[in-house]
Amino acid sequence: MTGETINMDDFASQNRFVIDGETDKDHQIHSILCQPIYNSERKIIGVAQMINRTTDDHLFTDQDENLFEAFAIFCGLGIHNTQMYENALRLMAKQQVALEVLSYHATAQKDEVEKLKGKPIASVAEFKLESFAFSDFNLTEDETVQASIRMFMDLNLVDRFHIPYKVLCRWLLSVRKNYRPVIYHNWRHAFNVAQTMFSLIKAGGMMTMLTQLEVMGLIVACLCHDLDHRGTNNTFQTKTASPLALLYSTSTMEHHHFDHSIMILNSEGNNIFQALSPEEYRDVISVLEGAILSTDLAIYFKKRNGFFSLVESGEKTFQKPADKELLRGMMMTACDVSAIAKPWDIQRDVAELVFSEFFEQGDMERQQLQEEPIAMMDRKKRDELPKMQVGFIDAICMPVYKSFADLTPGLKPLMDGVVHNRQEWESLAKEQERLSTPDLQNNVKKA
């Protein structure tokens, strides 16, 4: 194909083109106008053709050529759009198949569900779920799921929102299954965050400021807030141009955690919200999304001053929607970093887990990005861990726990725990600084 427009006014006298196939003997071709049809890449994908203009001389004019060229462009766009639509349908079908496969493998299996369903569930007191000093270290994996069921039951969420017990068991097992075996941001971290939220609500007196729908949304958010965490933060996703970073430009991992939680809810037999009205469902999903996104510390820093101002002004009810959202976000932060308020032996062990995961990211940054990681990701600066913990407490933890202690006396134990642990970390930091001073090092060498 030459790609040129053909306007032939005496077809019978030419020998360039021949008629292919049978034609009506009574039908004579006098004139012909042919126009190539291009796709978006300027490749010819077809030909538009007109025969015998309906005038006495049957001749096609220059104006006919211009109009027909526009028609050919329109045909090209139509064909291109049709092909794109067909490709989109194929891609959607592939995506649906992939989701069905992933959903099957990511969902708890029938025997797991039946086993959990038949297990007796210990009481809140036996699990010590209302304690701010709670530790999961002595619980098995199955017991953490059973304790999660107990939280739903004790908060009256199962009866109030008509959650089928089997669906709750399947959903919890599916959520646990969708956490990767990373060092810290795994299922046990999510479970601990949910337990702290339970303590805030039950022992801390926060129930009076929340509706039951909000309570359910917050507990679900805590359990789902780090789903499919890869052990690396948002900055790492951006620096490595990961598919997640391309998909979500801000709060990368948090958006992924939320979307993953929706995927599980939409998987067969996992919708614990199935009995909600359309309005309730919309509201709880809104609570769920806002709560998970608020675990991004960038959002915490952006919004915390508004919360601090409300508490300082004497706000106790948080009835306005914007104030309620602010309260829920700060509660999520307080729960997410709550290991900092645990008894010292628990806090110290958890800090080791956190920094071990950070150091692994630092190692990947050196290997993949050929750059030096920041101090808290750098295992070469492990000795600075106590000093970094003091900085973390002062910059992030102390302000939010102080504000909650001012809001309600029931949350003062969290503030007390942070104050005590800060003293412990500061003491270790000073000891580390003393050991690293040149004079002492020289004395050690002489000895």
Side-chain angles (χ1 to χ4, degrees):
M1 292 186 184
T2 64
E4 61 182 300
T5 299
I6 304 293
N7 188 349
M8 194 172 293
D9 56 12
D10 187 6
F11 185 83
S13 65
Q14 60 82 39
N15 56 14
R16 184 178 176 186
F17 303 103
V18 295
I19 299 173
D20 187 17
E22 297 182 4
T23 59
D24 188 346
K25 293 180 180 180
D26 296 329
H27 179 69
Q28 297 293 320
I29 298 178
H30 299 285
S31 60
I32 187 169
L33 179 61
C34 289
Q35 188 76 241
I37 299 174
Y38 294 96
N39 64 9
S40 60
E41 298 174 350
R42 291 296 296 171
K43 293 181 180 178
I44 297 175
I45 57 174
V47 175
Q49 176 178 285
M50 291 197 297
I51 299 173
N52 296 347
R53 193 175 192 276
T54 56
T55 57
D56 291 339
D57 59 7
H58 302 298
L59 301 180
F60 292 101
T61 65
D62 290 342
Q63 184 179 5
D64 293 333
E65 284 188 29
N66 292 334
L67 289 171
F68 199 45
E69 182 180 6
F71 174 75
I73 292 173
F74 178 79
C75 289
L77 291 171
I79 293 171
H80 176 73
N81 289 340
T82 301
Q83 291 174 335
M84 290 291 289
Y85 178 69
E86 291 173 347
N87 288 336
L89 288 178
R90 282 194 291 270
L91 288 172
M92 288 172 64
K94 287 182 179 179
Q95 182 186 48
Q96 185 62 35
V97 171
L99 283 174
E100 287 175 358
V101 173
L102 287 172
S103 176
Y104 173 78
H105 289 289
T107 300
Q109 299 303 304
K110 184 177 179 180
D111 57 336
E112 292 180 282
V113 178
E114 292 299 328
K115 181 181 177 182
L116 176 60
K117 185 182 171 187
K119 288 272 187 179
I121 306 299
S123 68
V124 167
E126 288 175 289
F127 281 124
K128 301 178 182 177
L129 289 173
E130 288 191 17
S131 172
F132 290 118
F134 175 85
S135 171
D136 69 299
F137 291 160
N138 62 336
L139 296 181
T140 66
E141 289 289 300
D142 288 344
E143 286 173 334
T144 61
V145 179
Q146 293 168 31
S148 300
I149 292 175
R150 173 52 63 192
M151 286 189 271
F152 273 83
M153 295 172 69
D154 198 71
L155 291 167
N156 197 37
L157 302 178
V158 176
D159 292 337
R160 168 63 180 81
F161 297 108
H162 308 292
I163 304 174
Y165 190 69
K166 187 173 183 178
V167 173
L168 178 60
C169 290
R170 183 182 293 109
W171 177 79
L172 282 167
L173 289 169
S174 297
V175 168
R176 184 182 70 174
K177 192 174 183 179
N178 279 267
Y179 275 92
R180 300 190 183 202
V182 293
I183 298 174
Y184 178 67
H185 288 99
N186 49 41
W187 159 252
R188 283 186 176 267
H189 165 64
F191 167 69
N192 276 289
V193 173
Q195 183 277 326
T196 303
M197 181 65 73
F198 181 82
S199 298
L200 259 65
I201 293 168
K202 295 288 288 186
M206 299 299 292
M207 189 68 173
T208 58
M209 304 177 198
L210 303 166
T211 65
Q212 274 201 295
L213 196 69
E214 287 177 302
V215 168
M216 179 164 69
L218 287 170
I219 293 294
V220 171
C222 289
L223 292 168
C224 295
H225 83 282
D226 273 331
L227 274 169
D228 196 45
H229 201 291
R230 286 93 191 278
T232 52
N233 62 14
N234 289 337
T235 302
F236 184 83
Q237 303 303 319
T238 302
K239 284 183 177 181
T240 57
S242 71
L244 285 177
L246 297 176
L247 192 58
Y248 313 108
S249 58
T250 60
S251 300
T252 300
M253 291 307 301
E254 291 75 21
H255 275 106
H256 177 58
H257 303 322
F258 169 69
D259 286 350
H260 205 94
S261 66
I262 295 299
M263 185 201 78
I264 294 174
L265 285 168
N266 288 337
S267 300
E268 185 177 356
N270 282 280
N271 188 4
I272 57 174
F273 300 150
Q274 64 187 48
L276 300 182
S277 68
E279 183 179 1
E280 287 176 326
Y281 183 83
R282 184 194 67 230
D283 290 345
V284 79
I285 293 298
S286 177
V287 170
L288 177 63
E289 180 177 21
I292 291 178
L293 293 184
S294 68
T295 59
D296 182 355
L297 287 178
I299 293 179
Y300 163 69
F301 281 119
K302 183 179 179 180
K303 294 187 174 183
R304 68 177 186 175
N305 287 337
F307 176 70
F308 299 160
S309 296
L310 281 173
V311 174
E312 288 170 7
S313 69
E315 177 62 55
K316 296 292 184 183
T317 60
F318 292 87
Q319 292 304 305
K320 295 179 182 178
D323 296 346
K324 257 308 178 54
E325 184 178 1
L326 202 53
L327 174 66
R328 295 194 301 263
M330 293 302 112
M331 289 177 70
M332 287 297 296
T333 299
C335 294
D336 198 14
V337 300
S338 61
I340 203 73
K342 299 287 186 180
W344 170 241
D345 57 335
I346 299 173
Q347 154 58 190
R348 185 184 54 216
D349 291 345
V350 172
E352 284 292 331
L353 295 175
V354 174
F355 277 90
S356 293
E357 186 175 286
F358 284 174
F359 293 155
E360 285 203 351
Q361 175 176 321
D363 294 342
M364 286 189 282
E365 289 179 3
R366 279 198 177 91
Q367 294 167 6
Q368 298 179 28
L369 304 174
Q370 282 77 52
E371 65 180 41
E372 287 299 305
I374 61 175
M376 71 176 183
M377 304 283 181
D378 190 352
R379 68 172 67 252
K380 294 178 182 177
K381 297 180 179 178
R382 186 184 187 90
D383 291 344
E384 297 180 22
L385 191 156
K387 181 181 177 181
M388 288 187 279
Q389 280 294 87
V390 171
F392 176 69
I393 290 172
D394 290 345
I396 295 171
C397 308
M398 192 74 78
V400 72
Y401 288 124
K402 180 182 182 304
S403 197
F404 272 114
D406 292 341
L407 178 63
T408 173
L411 298 182
K412 192 174 181 297
L414 289 171
M415 178 64 181
D416 294 338
V418 174
V419 170
H420 175 76
N421 288 333
R422 188 192 185 284
Q423 293 170 348
E424 294 284 356
W425 285 119
E426 188 173 37
S427 175
L428 288 176
K430 288 180 178 178
E431 177 65 15
Q432 185 60 46
E433 185 178 0
R434 187 183 69 82
L435 291 173
S436 62
T437 56
D439 289 344
L440 183 61
Q441 289 178 350
N442 291 334
N443 290 335
V444 171
K445 288 179 181 178
K446 291 178 181 177

